[in-house]
Amino acid sequence: MSETLFSKIIERQIPADIVYEDDDCLCFKDVNPKAPVHYLLIPKKPIERLVDAKSEDQTLLGHMLMKASEIVSDAGFGDAFRLVINNGPGAGQSVFHLHIHILAGRTMGWPPG
Ligand code: DGP
């Protein structure tokens, strides 16, 4: 997998407003927020898209879901938040390092655009 903006954030080659980090994942504020709370949670392992995850990544993906819930709850929005994964350009993915958008702090419309 080629280097992406997000691998550079993991390596601290470009700055980001980091809100959480552990051995397996990193969470930082989206540079172009679509809600008062808009974080990106990424695995440190370079997985391009959700569809590229392997069965060996099951624990990592479960860990990330649990962490997303914990992070947004710690931010005070545990009762109303949305998680989004854009998989592929047709779904709006622009950075090819798997990421979970964590959105909160405003009313969420449905269906999403
Ligand atoms: P997606 O379109 O699902 O691939 O989302 C990519 C998100 O990444 C988009 O909401 C903007 C954000 N983003 C792009 N470049 C940077 C960056 O350099 N820093 C940060 N913090 N966010 C970025």
Side-chain angles (χ1 to χ4, degrees):
M1 177 174 151
S2 58
E3 203 171 31
T4 66
L5 281 170
F6 292 173
S7 56
K8 289 180 182 169
I9 288 175
I10 293 169
E11 298 300 329
R12 307 302 203 265
Q13 291 170 4
I14 60 174
D17 198 342
I18 292 170
V19 297
Y20 176 80
E21 179 171 24
D22 63 27
D23 288 346
D24 300 313
C25 61
L26 184 70
C27 187
F28 51 91
K29 293 184 181 176
D30 194 294
V31 77
N32 185 15
K34 300 292 190 285
V37 172
H38 188 172
Y39 300 156
L40 300 171
L41 178 61
I42 66 172
K44 290 187 174 175
K45 178 177 178 178
I47 300 168
E48 287 192 27
R49 304 166 300 170
L50 180 60
V51 76
D52 298 311
K54 309 285 185 226
S55 56
E56 71 211 33
D57 299 318
Q58 194 165 327
T59 301
L60 172 63
L61 296 180
H63 175 70
M64 289 177 63
L65 269 188
M66 297 298 290
K67 279 297 158 194
S69 170
E70 206 176 290
I71 290 164
V72 76
S73 296
D74 287 350
F77 296 93
D79 286 333
F81 63 89
R82 180 171 290 170
L83 305 182
V84 174
I85 297 174
N86 295 325
N87 185 95
Q93 185 175 5
S94 61
V95 179
F96 289 86
H97 184 125
L98 174 64
H99 48 282
I100 301 176
H101 293 263
I102 302 173
L103 298 147
R106 65 165 169 79
T107 302
M108 301 286 165
W110 192 263

